[in-house]
């Protein structure tokens, strides 16, 4: 017997609807991830705020009061961004104020911080005060578990004035300035040494124009190593300098280069602070176009006939060194980058800072007393 097809259809099990959970699962997972990420971001933000409050409290206990006006912490979802309408530091020997400041770190790069600041900047240090403005200021900091990897500061068109160093304000302006620092390879952990590199382009400093005999803007570069730099903190300057001196701190000048018009100067050597808190050390000098200026300075400071005699002796001494190479023989071009940098430069007598006096070779510079720094 053949079953009735219609009967079989009536008794067949109804088809089950297909589940749509698979369609919504990715969206659910994404929503859950967003919720977890948001919770994590707020936890990190609160932790950053607490650590900042703790650091400010420790600084205040040490006599340094930091004020971040209208502080806010934003940056969701991928960074932590701190904003201050203004930043102020007050301590016993002075302090500073700074315009709006923004500091930020990426969540996925917590040891890489960026800084942006606007002027004006006002600082008081003892009897000195200064005001500085700029077009843009940016900084960066690459941290590490045992200190830092690199720190940089780049400023466009800074200009300002320093008061208290003399009867008249000292005005200055620069087209571009860069400052970089890094731990000295192999010496940071043992000696606390930090390499510093400074570049300043088109520097205008009217104070030195009559001295050098040129109003042309100057280009300045400095490569140096600060030994025992890890001793330095944010305390009062006298306290920090004394701690650095007692730790045998010193500044090794790898190269200090100044070019102003057709006048150039290079210096290498070591500087530190003596027991009387005055600058000390010795610098090896090379220059072009400054021999007559040095002789004139020596002569003018001595005055009258004695000054003229000393000035002539210095001029003859420099002229003799100008006609000879560093070892007393004929000049020979140096090799490589150093040769290019020193082309046309002639050696000058070493500049010595000792016992509060300034000596150019065997000649003391008259009427010059090195100041007590603190």
């Amino acid at each position: 017997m053949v079953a009735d097809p219609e009967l079989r259809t009536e008794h067949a099990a109804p088809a089950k609807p297909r589940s749509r959970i698979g369609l919504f699962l990715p969206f659910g997972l994404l929503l859950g991830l967003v919720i977890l990420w948001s919770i994590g971001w707020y936890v990190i933000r609160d932790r950053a705020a607490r650590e900042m409050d703790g650091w400010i409290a420790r600084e205040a206990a040490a006599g340094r009061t930091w004020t971040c006006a209208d502080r806010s912490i934003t940056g969701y979802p991928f960074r932590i961004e701190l904003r201050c309408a203004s930043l102020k530091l007050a301590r016993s020997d002075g302090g500073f104020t700074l315009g709006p400041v923004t500091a930020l770190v990426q969540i996925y790069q917590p040891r890489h911080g960026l800084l942006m600041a606007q002027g004006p900047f006002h600082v008081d240090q003892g009897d000195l005060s200064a005001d500085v403005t700029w077009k843009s200021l940016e900084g960066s900091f690459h941290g590490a578990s045992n200190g830092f990897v690199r720190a940089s500061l780049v400023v466009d068109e800074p200009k300002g004035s320093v008061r208290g160093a003399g009867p008249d304000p000292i005005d200055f302006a620069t087209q571009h300035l860069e400052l970089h620092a890094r731990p000295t390879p192999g010496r940071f952990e043992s000696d606390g040494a930090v390499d510093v590199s400074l570049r300043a382009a088109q520097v205008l400093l009217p104070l030195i124009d009559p001295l050098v005999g040129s109003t042309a803007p100057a280009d300045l570069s400095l490569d140096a190593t600060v030994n025992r730099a890890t001793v330095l903190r944010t305390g009062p300057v006298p306290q920090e300098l004394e701690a650095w001196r007692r730790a045998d701190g010193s500044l090794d000048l790898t190269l200090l280069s100044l070019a102003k018009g057709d006048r150039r100067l290079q210096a290498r050597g070591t500087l530190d602070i003596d027991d009387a808190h005055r600058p000390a050390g010795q610098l090896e000098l090379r220059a072009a176009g400054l021999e007559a200026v040095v002789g004139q300075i020596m002569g003018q400071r001595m005055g009258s006939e004695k000054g003229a005699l000393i000035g002539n002796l210095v001029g003859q001494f420099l002229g003799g060194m100008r006609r000879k190479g560093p070892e007393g023989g004929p000049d020979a071009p140096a090799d490589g980058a150093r040769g290019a940098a020193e082309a046309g430069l002639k050696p000058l007598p070493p500049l010595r800072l000792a016992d509060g006096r300034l000596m150019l070779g065997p000649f003391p510079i008259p009427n010059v007393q090195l100041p007590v720094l603190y």
Side-chain angles (χ1 to χ4, degrees):
M1 176 179 286
V2 179
D4 187 351
E6 295 181 359
L7 184 61
R8 289 201 306 269
T9 303
E10 292 177 358
H11 291 280
K16 296 182 178 179
R18 294 181 61 184
S19 173
R20 297 188 178 184
I21 295 179
L23 297 176
F24 297 102
L25 183 58
F27 297 99
L29 292 176
L30 180 60
L31 178 60
L33 180 60
V34 170
I35 293 174
L36 291 176
W37 183 273
S38 300
I39 293 174
W41 185 88
Y42 280 101
V43 169
I44 294 173
R45 188 195 69 168
D46 291 342
R47 179 179 177 182
R50 289 196 303 270
E51 290 188 357
M52 188 178 304
D53 290 338
W55 179 81
I56 290 176
R58 292 190 296 273
E59 286 287 288
R64 300 180 290 272
T65 303
W66 293 85
T67 303
C68 173
D70 299 330
R71 187 180 82 179
S72 65
I73 301 179
T74 59
Y76 177 86
F78 297 116
R79 62 189 185 187
I80 299 295
E81 185 172 306
L82 168 68
R83 291 179 179 271
C84 301
S86 64
L87 182 65
K88 180 180 179 181
L89 168 65
R91 61 189 189 189
S92 60
D93 64 333
F96 70 81
T97 58
L98 180 61
V101 177
T102 300
L104 63 90
V105 296
Q106 305 289 350
I107 293 293
Y108 47 85
Q109 287 183 312
R111 290 181 175 175
H112 180 199
L114 300 176
L115 172 71
M116 291 161 284
Q118 301 177 30
F121 174 75
H122 175 81
V123 60
D124 293 300
Q125 178 61 51
D127 296 330
L128 298 176
S129 66
D131 289 282
V132 186
T133 60
W134 51 82
K135 182 178 179 180
S136 67
L137 183 151
E138 297 180 353
S140 67
F141 181 85
H142 294 258
S145 58
N146 61 341
F148 74 105
V149 176
R150 184 173 68 255
S152 300
L153 182 68
V154 178
V155 190
D156 283 327
E157 300 182 18
K159 60 181 180 179
S161 180
V162 178
R163 294 172 299 279
D168 299 318
I170 301 175
D171 298 324
F172 64 90
T174 304
Q175 185 180 39
H176 183 79
L177 183 146
E178 292 189 14
L179 176 63
H180 306 276
R182 66 166 188 173
T184 303
R187 296 185 53 207
F188 181 70
E189 294 185 358
S190 59
D191 300 332
V194 173
D195 292 336
V196 177
S197 178
L198 172 68
R199 299 291 184 272
Q202 302 294 292
V203 180
L204 295 175
L205 187 60
L207 177 68
I208 68 172
D209 288 349
L211 178 65
V212 181
S214 173
T215 59
D219 292 328
L220 172 69
S221 64
L222 169 69
D223 294 314
T225 298
V226 183
N227 300 304
R228 304 297 181 184
T230 51
V231 173
L232 299 171
R233 294 292 186 270
T234 58
V237 171
Q239 172 185 317
E240 298 301 323
L241 288 179
E242 179 63 11
W244 185 63
R245 185 189 71 82
R246 289 181 175 274
D248 295 327
S250 62
L251 178 67
D252 294 334
L253 289 178
T254 305
L255 177 62
L256 171 63
S257 178
L258 177 66
K260 185 175 175 64
D262 59 352
R263 292 159 171 77
R264 291 184 293 156
L265 175 68
Q266 289 186 357
R268 293 180 173 86
T270 300
L271 299 174
D272 53 26
I273 301 175
D274 65 17
D275 293 339
H277 303 167
R278 297 168 302 197
Q282 178 168 312
L283 300 178
E284 302 299 326
L285 305 178
R286 295 176 67 86
L290 291 175
E291 295 85 354
V293 175
V294 174
Q296 182 181 6
I297 292 174
M298 296 290 291
Q300 286 180 349
R301 288 197 173 275
M302 291 295 293
S304 66
E305 296 180 359
K306 185 177 182 181
L309 176 61
I310 294 295
N312 290 333
L313 289 175
V314 172
Q316 293 175 10
F317 183 73
L318 297 180
M321 298 196 71
R322 181 180 176 86
R323 290 189 295 270
K324 297 180 180 181
E327 303 300 330
D331 290 339
D335 296 330
R338 179 174 176 177
E342 296 186 352
L345 298 180
K346 306 300 179 181
L348 296 180
L351 184 67
R352 293 189 295 118
L353 297 78
D355 300 325
R357 301 177 66 191
L358 201 59
M359 304 280 294
L360 187 64
F363 302 105
I365 298 180
N367 304 322
V368 173
Q369 293 292 323
L370 297 177
V372 175
L373 299 177
Y374 57 95

